[in-house]
Tab-separated table of all heavy atoms in Angstrom:
chain	number	residue	atom	x	y	z
A	1	THR	N	133.621	264.185	34.708
A	1	THR	CA	133.162	262.857	34.348
A	1	THR	C	132.063	262.428	35.308
A	1	THR	O	131.949	262.938	36.430
A	1	THR	CB	134.291	261.803	34.418
A	1	THR	OG1	134.784	261.717	35.754
A	1	THR	CG2	135.410	262.121	33.450
A	2	LEU	N	131.267	261.494	34.849
A	2	LEU	CA	130.287	260.829	35.687
A	2	LEU	C	130.804	259.416	35.873
A	2	LEU	O	131.070	258.709	34.895
A	2	LEU	CB	128.921	260.812	35.000
A	2	LEU	CG	127.797	260.128	35.767
A	2	LEU	CD1	127.470	260.903	37.049
A	2	LEU	CD2	126.563	259.994	34.901
A	3	ARG	N	130.973	259.021	37.118
A	3	ARG	CA	131.471	257.674	37.430
A	3	ARG	C	130.387	256.886	38.135
A	3	ARG	O	129.586	257.434	38.866
A	3	ARG	CB	132.679	257.739	38.362
A	3	ARG	CG	133.885	258.385	37.774
A	3	ARG	CD	135.011	258.381	38.787
A	3	ARG	NE	136.108	259.223	38.332
A	3	ARG	CZ	137.141	259.531	39.055
A	3	ARG	NH1	137.263	259.064	40.290
A	3	ARG	NH2	138.094	260.298	38.561
A	4	TRP	N	130.434	255.566	37.943
A	4	TRP	CA	129.553	254.693	38.691
A	4	TRP	C	130.233	253.362	38.943
A	4	TRP	O	131.085	252.923	38.190
A	4	TRP	CB	128.199	254.523	38.014
A	4	TRP	CG	128.182	253.848	36.686
A	4	TRP	CD1	127.962	252.535	36.433
A	4	TRP	CD2	128.363	254.462	35.407
A	4	TRP	NE1	127.997	252.290	35.079
A	4	TRP	CE2	128.237	253.466	34.429
A	4	TRP	CE3	128.622	255.771	34.986
A	4	TRP	CZ2	128.361	253.723	33.078
A	4	TRP	CZ3	128.746	256.015	33.626
A	4	TRP	CH2	128.613	255.011	32.702
A	5	ALA	N	129.839	252.766	40.066
A	5	ALA	CA	130.409	251.479	40.487
A	5	ALA	C	129.415	250.780	41.392
A	5	ALA	O	128.475	251.389	41.909
A	5	ALA	CB	131.732	251.692	41.219
A	6	GLN	N	129.670	249.519	41.625
A	6	GLN	CA	128.778	248.731	42.473
A	6	GLN	C	128.865	249.166	43.939
A	6	GLN	O	127.875	249.177	44.635
A	6	GLN	CB	129.120	247.249	42.340
A	6	GLN	CG	128.111	246.345	42.980
A	6	GLN	CD	128.352	244.885	42.630
A	6	GLN	OE1	129.302	244.543	41.934
A	6	GLN	NE2	127.489	244.029	43.116
A	7	LYS	N	130.058	249.536	44.377
A	7	LYS	CA	130.267	249.968	45.758
A	7	LYS	C	130.792	251.399	45.767
A	7	LYS	O	131.590	251.776	44.906
A	7	LYS	CB	131.269	249.061	46.457
A	7	LYS	CG	130.824	247.621	46.529
A	7	LYS	CD	131.906	246.757	47.113
A	7	LYS	CE	131.487	245.297	47.061
A	7	LYS	NZ	132.588	244.407	47.370
A	8	GLU	N	130.379	252.159	46.741
A	8	GLU	CA	130.787	253.560	46.824
A	8	GLU	C	132.310	253.709	46.872
A	8	GLU	O	132.878	254.578	46.219
A	8	GLU	CB	130.146	254.215	48.052
A	8	GLU	CG	130.384	255.692	48.149
A	8	GLU	CD	129.612	256.327	49.287
A	8	GLU	OE1	129.132	255.596	50.176
A	8	GLU	OE2	129.512	257.556	49.292
A	9	LYS	N	132.978	252.829	47.608
A	9	LYS	CA	134.434	252.926	47.730
A	9	LYS	C	135.145	252.699	46.392
A	9	LYS	O	136.251	253.151	46.183
A	9	LYS	CB	134.956	251.952	48.784
A	9	LYS	CG	134.803	250.493	48.390
A	9	LYS	CD	135.362	249.557	49.425
A	9	LYS	CE	135.250	248.133	48.917
A	9	LYS	NZ	136.012	247.204	49.664
A	10	ASP	N	134.469	252.011	45.456
A	10	ASP	CA	135.070	251.727	44.153
A	10	ASP	C	135.060	252.923	43.201
A	10	ASP	O	135.656	252.864	42.129
A	10	ASP	CB	134.368	250.545	43.483
A	10	ASP	CG	134.653	249.230	44.194
A	10	ASP	OD1	135.694	249.153	44.895
A	10	ASP	OD2	133.843	248.300	44.058
A	11	LEU	N	134.400	254.017	43.582
A	11	LEU	CA	134.352	255.200	42.726
A	11	LEU	C	135.724	255.853	42.558
A	11	LEU	O	135.907	256.704	41.694
A	11	LEU	CB	133.359	256.220	43.282
A	11	LEU	CG	131.898	255.822	43.164
A	11	LEU	CD1	131.012	256.805	43.922
A	11	LEU	CD2	131.473	255.726	41.709
A	12	ASN	N	136.678	255.449	43.367
A	12	ASN	CA	138.041	255.963	43.261
A	12	ASN	C	139.018	254.944	42.673
A	12	ASN	O	140.208	255.197	42.631
A	12	ASN	CB	138.541	256.424	44.635
A	12	ASN	CG	137.742	257.592	45.147
A	12	ASN	OD1	137.452	258.525	44.410
A	12	ASN	ND2	137.357	257.532	46.407
A	13	ASN	N	138.502	253.819	42.226
A	13	ASN	CA	139.352	252.754	41.690
A	13	ASN	C	139.116	252.607	40.184
A	13	ASN	O	138.135	252.012	39.755
A	13	ASN	CB	139.043	251.437	42.404
A	13	ASN	CG	139.932	250.311	41.939
A	13	ASN	OD1	140.661	250.419	40.959
A	13	ASN	ND2	139.861	249.189	42.639
A	14	PRO	N	140.015	253.158	39.346
A	14	PRO	CA	139.814	253.109	37.897
A	14	PRO	C	139.718	251.706	37.309
A	14	PRO	O	139.211	251.529	36.214
A	14	PRO	CB	141.028	253.840	37.326
A	14	PRO	CG	141.820	254.328	38.454
A	14	PRO	CD	141.242	253.822	39.729
A	15	LYS	N	140.163	250.709	38.035
A	15	LYS	CA	140.063	249.337	37.543
A	15	LYS	C	138.638	248.804	37.674
A	15	LYS	O	138.293	247.813	37.035
A	15	LYS	CB	141.018	248.424	38.309
A	15	LYS	CG	142.473	248.725	38.033
A	15	LYS	CD	143.363	247.790	38.797
A	15	LYS	CE	144.830	248.107	38.534
A	15	LYS	NZ	145.729	247.243	39.264
A	16	VAL	N	137.830	249.455	38.515
A	16	VAL	CA	136.505	248.935	38.814
A	16	VAL	C	135.377	249.845	38.319
A	16	VAL	O	134.369	249.356	37.830
A	16	VAL	CB	136.354	248.705	40.342
A	16	VAL	CG1	134.991	248.178	40.691
A	16	VAL	CG2	137.435	247.773	40.848
A	17	TYR	N	135.525	251.148	38.442
A	17	TYR	CA	134.398	252.017	38.091
A	17	TYR	C	134.235	252.160	36.582
A	17	TYR	O	135.150	251.941	35.811
A	17	TYR	CB	134.502	253.382	38.766
A	17	TYR	CG	135.624	254.297	38.320
A	17	TYR	CD1	135.630	254.893	37.062
A	17	TYR	CD2	136.674	254.601	39.185
A	17	TYR	CE1	136.642	255.746	36.675
A	17	TYR	CE2	137.687	255.459	38.808
A	17	TYR	CZ	137.665	256.033	37.549
A	17	TYR	OH	138.670	256.884	37.171
A	18	ARG	N	133.019	252.512	36.187
A	18	ARG	CA	132.706	252.869	34.803
A	18	ARG	C	132.686	254.386	34.758
A	18	ARG	O	132.397	255.043	35.758
A	18	ARG	CB	131.340	252.324	34.390
A	18	ARG	CG	131.188	250.820	34.514
A	18	ARG	CD	131.950	250.019	33.477
A	18	ARG	NE	131.768	250.486	32.138
A	18	ARG	CZ	130.963	249.955	31.225
A	18	ARG	NH1	130.249	248.910	31.522
A	18	ARG	NH2	130.877	250.471	30.015
A	19	VAL	N	132.949	254.942	33.599
A	19	VAL	CA	133.048	256.391	33.500
A	19	VAL	C	132.450	256.879	32.182
A	19	VAL	O	132.516	256.178	31.169
A	19	VAL	CB	134.520	256.856	33.640
A	19	VAL	CG1	135.367	256.338	32.515
A	19	VAL	CG2	134.617	258.352	33.765
A	20	CYS	N	131.875	258.068	32.238
A	20	CYS	CA	131.368	258.734	31.050
A	20	CYS	C	131.765	260.202	31.147
A	20	CYS	O	131.318	260.900	32.062
A	20	CYS	CB	129.850	258.606	30.971
A	20	CYS	SG	129.148	259.446	29.540
A	21	PRO	N	132.608	260.685	30.229
A	21	PRO	CA	132.929	262.114	30.226
A	21	PRO	C	131.673	262.924	29.934
A	21	PRO	O	130.864	262.552	29.077
A	21	PRO	CB	133.940	262.251	29.082
A	21	PRO	CG	134.481	260.877	28.860
A	21	PRO	CD	133.358	259.938	29.213
A	22	LEU	N	131.477	264.025	30.652
A	22	LEU	CA	130.297	264.847	30.433
A	22	LEU	C	130.221	265.335	28.996
A	22	LEU	O	129.129	265.484	28.437
A	22	LEU	CB	130.274	266.028	31.396
A	22	LEU	CG	130.055	265.698	32.869
A	22	LEU	CD1	129.980	266.975	33.691
A	22	LEU	CD2	128.822	264.861	33.072
A	23	GLY	N	131.349	265.573	28.372
A	23	GLY	CA	131.370	266.022	26.986
A	23	GLY	C	130.819	265.003	26.002
A	23	GLY	O	130.468	265.353	24.872
A	24	ASP	N	130.719	263.739	26.410
A	24	ASP	CA	130.162	262.690	25.550
A	24	ASP	C	128.644	262.609	25.636
A	24	ASP	O	128.009	261.913	24.844
A	24	ASP	CB	130.739	261.323	25.918
A	24	ASP	CG	132.197	261.169	25.522
A	24	ASP	OD1	132.749	262.093	24.880
A	24	ASP	OD2	132.787	260.130	25.874
A	25	ILE	N	128.055	263.299	26.603
A	25	ILE	CA	126.606	263.260	26.791
A	25	ILE	C	125.978	264.336	25.914
A	25	ILE	O	126.270	265.518	26.051
A	25	ILE	CB	126.228	263.475	28.270
A	25	ILE	CG1	126.873	262.396	29.143
A	25	ILE	CG2	124.706	263.461	28.431
A	25	ILE	CD1	126.710	262.627	30.634
A	26	LYS	N	125.121	263.924	24.994
A	26	LYS	CA	124.471	264.855	24.079
A	26	LYS	C	123.303	265.570	24.747
A	26	LYS	O	122.942	266.670	24.356
A	26	LYS	CB	123.971	264.112	22.846
A	26	LYS	CG	125.102	263.552	21.993
A	26	LYS	CD	124.599	262.661	20.892
A	26	LYS	CE	123.785	263.460	19.907
A	26	LYS	NZ	123.363	262.651	18.739
A	27	GLY	N	122.704	264.923	25.734
A	27	GLY	CA	121.575	265.533	26.420
A	27	GLY	C	121.000	264.630	27.485
A	27	GLY	O	121.409	263.478	27.634
A	28	ILE	N	120.046	265.186	28.218
A	28	ILE	CA	119.343	264.451	29.262
A	28	ILE	C	117.859	264.505	28.934
A	28	ILE	O	117.325	265.577	28.642
A	28	ILE	CB	119.593	265.071	30.648
A	28	ILE	CG1	121.085	265.026	30.973
A	28	ILE	CG2	118.778	264.353	31.720
A	28	ILE	CD1	121.453	265.755	32.240
A	29	VAL	N	117.214	263.339	28.960
A	29	VAL	CA	115.793	263.268	28.681
A	29	VAL	C	115.095	262.759	29.943
A	29	VAL	O	115.471	261.728	30.503
A	29	VAL	CB	115.506	262.339	27.482
A	29	VAL	CG1	114.021	262.271	27.200
A	29	VAL	CG2	116.269	262.814	26.257
A	30	TYR	N	114.104	263.504	30.358
A	30	TYR	CA	113.348	263.192	31.569
A	30	TYR	C	112.238	262.198	31.232
A	30	TYR	O	111.573	262.314	30.214
A	30	TYR	CB	112.779	264.498	32.115
A	30	TYR	CG	111.951	264.375	33.353
A	30	TYR	CD1	112.509	263.929	34.538
A	30	TYR	CD2	110.617	264.732	33.350
A	30	TYR	CE1	111.751	263.833	35.694
A	30	TYR	CE2	109.854	264.644	34.491
A	30	TYR	CZ	110.409	264.191	35.657
A	30	TYR	OH	109.656	264.101	36.796
A	31	GLY	N	112.048	261.205	32.086
A	31	GLY	CA	110.998	260.207	31.898
A	31	GLY	C	111.542	258.947	31.254
A	31	GLY	O	112.738	258.797	31.030
A	32	LYS	N	110.634	258.017	30.954
A	32	LYS	CA	111.001	256.775	30.257
A	32	LYS	C	111.076	257.114	28.776
A	32	LYS	O	110.095	257.024	28.051
A	32	LYS	CB	109.967	255.683	30.520
A	32	LYS	CG	109.885	255.250	31.969
A	32	LYS	CD	108.809	254.194	32.142
A	32	LYS	CE	108.593	253.857	33.587
A	32	LYS	NZ	107.531	252.853	33.771
A	33	SER	N	112.247	257.479	28.333
A	33	SER	CA	112.410	258.172	27.058
A	33	SER	C	112.553	257.311	25.819
A	33	SER	O	112.464	257.817	24.724
A	33	SER	CB	113.626	259.091	27.157
A	33	SER	OG	114.773	258.308	27.415
A	34	ASN	N	112.809	256.050	25.962
A	34	ASN	CA	113.022	255.216	24.777
A	34	ASN	C	112.325	253.874	24.953
A	34	ASN	O	111.904	253.510	26.052
A	34	ASN	CB	114.518	255.048	24.493
A	34	ASN	CG	115.259	254.405	25.639
A	34	ASN	OD1	114.966	253.275	26.003
A	34	ASN	ND2	116.221	255.108	26.224
A	35	ALA	N	112.200	253.145	23.854
A	35	ALA	CA	111.452	251.885	23.868
A	35	ALA	C	112.046	250.864	24.828
A	35	ALA	O	111.316	250.171	25.546
A	35	ALA	CB	111.376	251.310	22.454
A	36	LYS	N	113.373	250.762	24.859
A	36	LYS	CA	114.008	249.798	25.774
A	36	LYS	C	113.713	250.157	27.225
A	36	LYS	O	113.440	249.292	28.046
A	36	LYS	CB	115.515	249.737	25.537
A	36	LYS	CG	115.901	248.876	24.389
A	36	LYS	CD	117.379	248.580	24.431
A	36	LYS	CE	117.676	247.548	23.383
A	36	LYS	NZ	118.884	246.833	23.608
A	37	PHE	N	113.814	251.428	27.535
A	37	PHE	CA	113.550	251.879	28.906
A	37	PHE	C	112.098	251.557	29.274
A	37	PHE	O	111.817	251.015	30.342
A	37	PHE	CB	113.822	253.376	29.017
A	37	PHE	CG	114.116	253.864	30.412
A	37	PHE	CD1	114.588	255.146	30.600
A	37	PHE	CD2	113.927	253.085	31.537
A	37	PHE	CE1	114.869	255.635	31.864
A	37	PHE	CE2	114.204	253.556	32.815
A	37	PHE	CZ	114.673	254.829	32.970
């Protein structure tokens, strides 16, 4: 999984961090890849 949180110590706290399983990622695009970005 890829986890992210506001504070480094929160990367181990499931109540606080956000998570994305790698299997849910279809791909990686380099650069400013979309209109919103």
Side-chain angles (χ1 to χ4, degrees):
T1 62
L2 179 66
R3 295 180 191 172
W4 65 95
Q6 190 170 2
K7 299 175 185 169
E8 186 174 16
K9 68 178 184 166
D10 291 337
L11 289 172
N12 295 316
N13 183 350
K15 292 181 181 179
V16 180
Y17 68 70
R18 302 288 312 259
V19 64
C20 179
L22 292 183
D24 289 355
I25 301 172
K26 294 172 65 175
I28 299 173
V29 180
Y30 179 64
K32 296 178 187 179
S33 61
N34 60 61
K36 279 194 172 201
F37 203 169

